[in-house]
Amino acid sequence: MSIGIYNNIISVVAVLFFLVTLILLYNFPIYPDEVATRFWLSRFLFDYPYKISNLPTCTSAFSSIFPLTWYVPGIVNWLIHANIKNLYVMRVVGFFAAGVWVCALFFHIRRAIINSYYTENRVDYRLNLGLIALFVSLLAIGVYPVFLFTNRHEQLMLPSVVFLICLFSFLNKHGFSKNLLTIYLLIFVYFTCVSLILYAHPKGMFLAPFFLIIGLKLIVGIRKIFISMILTVLITLLMEQSYFSWKNFFSCPEIPKLNQLIISFSFDPFSFFYDFKFFLNKCLYSLLQFNRYLFQIGFQEITDANYLPQHPLGPMAKFVNALVYSNIFFLFFGLTIYLPYFYFKNDIVRGQYLTVNAVLIVLAGCVFFSALFNLPKNWYDAGYMYSLLIIILVFFVSANLPSVFPKKVFSVCFFYIVIVGLLSQLIFAHRYARDLQAGYAGPSVGLVGYVYDKNYDSEFSNISSLCKIDLNNSKHLIVDDYTYFYFSSTRMPMPITYIYLENEPENVQDFIRKSESSGMVVRCDYMPLSLAPLSQRSGGLCCISQENLRNVNVIR
């Protein structure tokens, strides 16, 4: 058989394996951060004009006036997530959000390959099949597929990063229209994408140079002083409000232990100016921990918070890990070397400075500094970094074809990447398929056995009646990761997990008494033992009425 037939066969196998991985992940439990993210991002109209966090015991920062520049991303997120009741819909939204930016990358590089290698308009199925196989193999390494489809903050950021580069690439190729409506539309798209990123997570602030270089392209191309001034003021105001809003939300003077935990997530970049020794020590410490990004993408015996089942690493898993680590390592350093080289070779020598390569160099720098200032380096941090590296890789290859990849080199890379993806998916299925299908949940809300039907509403109606909880008029209702979705439309709900986070029992008692909570509805397994005598039960749910919450004497 010819090489082309072998490539077709391996491509089909890669796609089929990825479909199996998708089926496994469809039943992946709802991770706690997916629910916590909804408190931060998806409550615009429910709590307007206030914005809340998921840290209710930080009373000075729990709620604040919604920043004006966050209205657009607040509405977008509310429309997507706010009214989700069915947990399977939450998982489908995760699939869709990932599919948006992955498909955008796919069609972008597909167009670049056709323009570089095909002289005719007719493109046969082998290109599409091979590209799909290549993409799914890049996305299937280690445990990265778990990150890809979870609904954390990053799912809002990645599509916006891709669309911003696509916008820049389009303007770089086709120029600017003189039509005012088109110009205002471009500004709106740019502002929306940037605001979605800054609204999603404070780590978006590290992408500021990336925003500015694309904004510079708009300002240079528009050539209208008044409109350029409007754009400059908008972006300045957006970044200023985002910085101070996130700074406020991540301060908790009321709970010193919790405040120390929050501070431990990062360190102040401005400490370079006022405490250089501290800054240098933190940078060195973070650099020495960079290998955690590799380990978090690979397979581990014990994962963060046990979000995946515990299993010993066999010889094959260790071998695949070595391949995964090598791929990410060479991807990072390969981009570090080749991006400046091709920028100089293809752009600077031609007198072109504001190019896609320049944007990607800036973005790569942002990725590095974001990774440096992030100290925990959790599994989702590693997934975010790897996602940005994939985005940079795809746009880099697209912008520099055909010189970046001769056909023979591309064929070798294709075969290697697909093989690694296949091996990785085999290990993933072998390690986790049985446990996930059996209902493993870890710290999360399990989906195996979950049914959303008329009994769901009946169950919650019964528990609400039992403790006299009014769905339309409740405020500061205490909920858990499961009950939040039914009571999401209530005013400023509070997650029970974070009420207890780094808090002393007497402080929790005092907090609940002063919060004027309308009650508590949680799964009975999540009801604190000291509160159980005050609770009432209906099925698997337990509740405490507003009156009984005021009678709490001892909180465990």
Side-chain angles (χ1 to χ4, degrees), residues 486-524:
Y486 183 84
F487 294 105
S488 60
S489 60
T490 60
R491 190 84 170 163
M492 299 182 183
M494 303 185 297
I496 188 171
T497 307
Y498 291 92
I499 290 176
Y500 283 86
L501 181 64
E502 298 292 342
N503 211 345
E504 300 297 334
E506 58 273 15
N507 291 338
V508 175
Q509 175 184 356
D510 189 54
F511 169 77
I512 290 180
R513 283 178 172 171
K514 292 179 179 179
S515 65
E516 298 182 353
S517 171
S518 296
M520 177 190 294
V521 182
V522 298
R523 288 163 291 175
C524 292

Side-chain angles (χ1 to χ4, degrees), residues 53-167:
S53 73
N54 67 334
L55 302 172
T57 53
C58 304
T59 53
S60 61
F62 175 60
S63 65
S64 60
I65 297 296
F66 216 101
L68 183 64
T69 54
W70 280 4
Y71 275 34
V72 172
I75 292 172
V76 169
N77 222 280
W78 186 85
L79 290 172
I80 295 173
H81 289 109
N83 294 299
I84 293 177
K85 305 295 183 185
N86 187 336
L87 298 185
Y88 274 113
V89 174
M90 171 70 77
R91 185 57 65 235
V92 170
V93 169
F95 278 49
F96 177 78
V100 168
W101 68 268
V102 171
C103 287
L105 290 180
F106 172 83
F107 287 110
H108 183 83
I109 196 170
R110 180 180 181 275
R111 174 52 53 191
I113 290 173
I114 291 172
N115 292 339
S116 300
Y117 293 118
Y118 287 79
T119 56
E120 300 177 3
N121 291 329
R122 182 172 170 269
V123 178
D124 62 30
Y125 73 94
R126 289 175 295 182
L127 172 64
N128 296 324
L129 179 61
L131 266 182
I132 293 173
L134 185 63
F135 263 78
V136 299
S137 299
L138 283 171
L139 301 175
I141 66 167
V143 297
Y144 176 72
V146 178
F147 166 83
L148 186 64
F149 299 116
T150 51
N151 276 288
R152 271 185 47 85
H153 305 261
E154 294 84 2
Q155 289 288 20
L156 193 65
M157 302 170 71
L158 297 172
S160 299
V161 171
V162 172
F163 291 154
L164 282 172
I165 304 175
C166 285
L167 175 65

Side-chain angles (χ1 to χ4, degrees), residues 15-263:
V15 173
L16 290 176
F17 270 50
F18 194 69
L19 290 176
V20 173
T21 302
L22 291 183
I23 293 171
L24 285 176
L25 291 175
Y26 182 67
N27 284 317
F28 185 77
I30 302 297
Y31 189 65
D33 283 6
E34 296 185 80
V35 185
T37 301
R38 307 284 68 83
F39 285 86
W40 287 103
L41 306 181
S42 307
R43 303 191 49 80
F44 180 76
L45 293 186
F46 293 149
D47 300 325
Y48 185 82
Y50 297 101
K51 184 184 188 301
I52 67 168
S53 73
N54 67 334
L55 302 172
T57 53
C58 304
T59 53
S60 61
F62 175 60
S63 65
S64 60
I65 297 296
F66 216 101
L68 183 64
T69 54
W70 280 4
Y71 275 34
V72 172
I75 292 172
V76 169
N77 222 280
W78 186 85
L79 290 172
I80 295 173
H81 289 109
N83 294 299
I84 293 177
K85 305 295 183 185
N86 187 336
L87 298 185
Y88 274 113
V89 174
M90 171 70 77
R91 185 57 65 235
V92 170
V93 169
F95 278 49
F96 177 78
V100 168
W101 68 268
V102 171
C103 287
L105 290 180
F106 172 83
F107 287 110
H108 183 83
I109 196 170
R110 180 180 181 275
R111 174 52 53 191
I113 290 173
I114 291 172
N115 292 339
S116 300
Y117 293 118
Y118 287 79
T119 56
E120 300 177 3
N121 291 329
R122 182 172 170 269
V123 178
D124 62 30
Y125 73 94
R126 289 175 295 182
L127 172 64
N128 296 324
L129 179 61
L131 266 182
I132 293 173
L134 185 63
F135 263 78
V136 299
S137 299
L138 283 171
L139 301 175
I141 66 167
V143 297
Y144 176 72
V146 178
F147 166 83
L148 186 64
F149 299 116
T150 51
N151 276 288
R152 271 185 47 85
H153 305 261
E154 294 84 2
Q155 289 288 20
L156 193 65
M157 302 170 71
L158 297 172
S160 299
V161 171
V162 172
F163 291 154
L164 282 172
I165 304 175
C166 285
L167 175 65
F168 183 95
S169 180
F170 176 82
L171 295 176
N172 208 44
K173 185 175 181 179
H174 299 286
F176 284 79
S177 169
K178 294 182 180 180
N179 184 282
L180 275 179
L181 184 61
T182 303
I183 291 174
Y184 283 124
L185 179 62
L186 288 173
I187 291 175
F188 177 76
V189 170
Y190 171 73
F191 178 83
T192 299
C193 289
V194 174
S195 63
L196 281 168
I197 295 171
L198 293 175
Y199 174 73
H201 198 279
K203 67 177 67 169
M205 294 299 299
F206 287 102
L207 298 181
F210 168 68
F211 305 148
L212 295 177
I213 192 172
I214 296 177
L216 180 62
K217 180 72 174 181
L218 284 170
I219 291 172
V220 171
I222 290 172
R223 295 181 180 178
K224 295 182 182 294
I225 296 177
F226 178 70
I227 297 178
S228 297
M229 288 177 62
I230 291 176
L231 178 59
T232 303
V233 170
L234 277 175
I235 292 301
T236 302
L237 184 61
L238 171 61
M239 296 186 69
E240 182 267 338
Q241 287 194 337
S242 299
Y243 174 79
F244 286 106
S245 293
W246 283 118
K247 187 176 181 180
N248 174 64
F249 277 123
F250 282 96
S251 62
C252 192
E254 299 87 350
I255 314 293
K257 285 186 179 179
L258 181 54
N259 198 50
Q260 286 301 313
L261 176 66
I262 295 170
I263 291 172

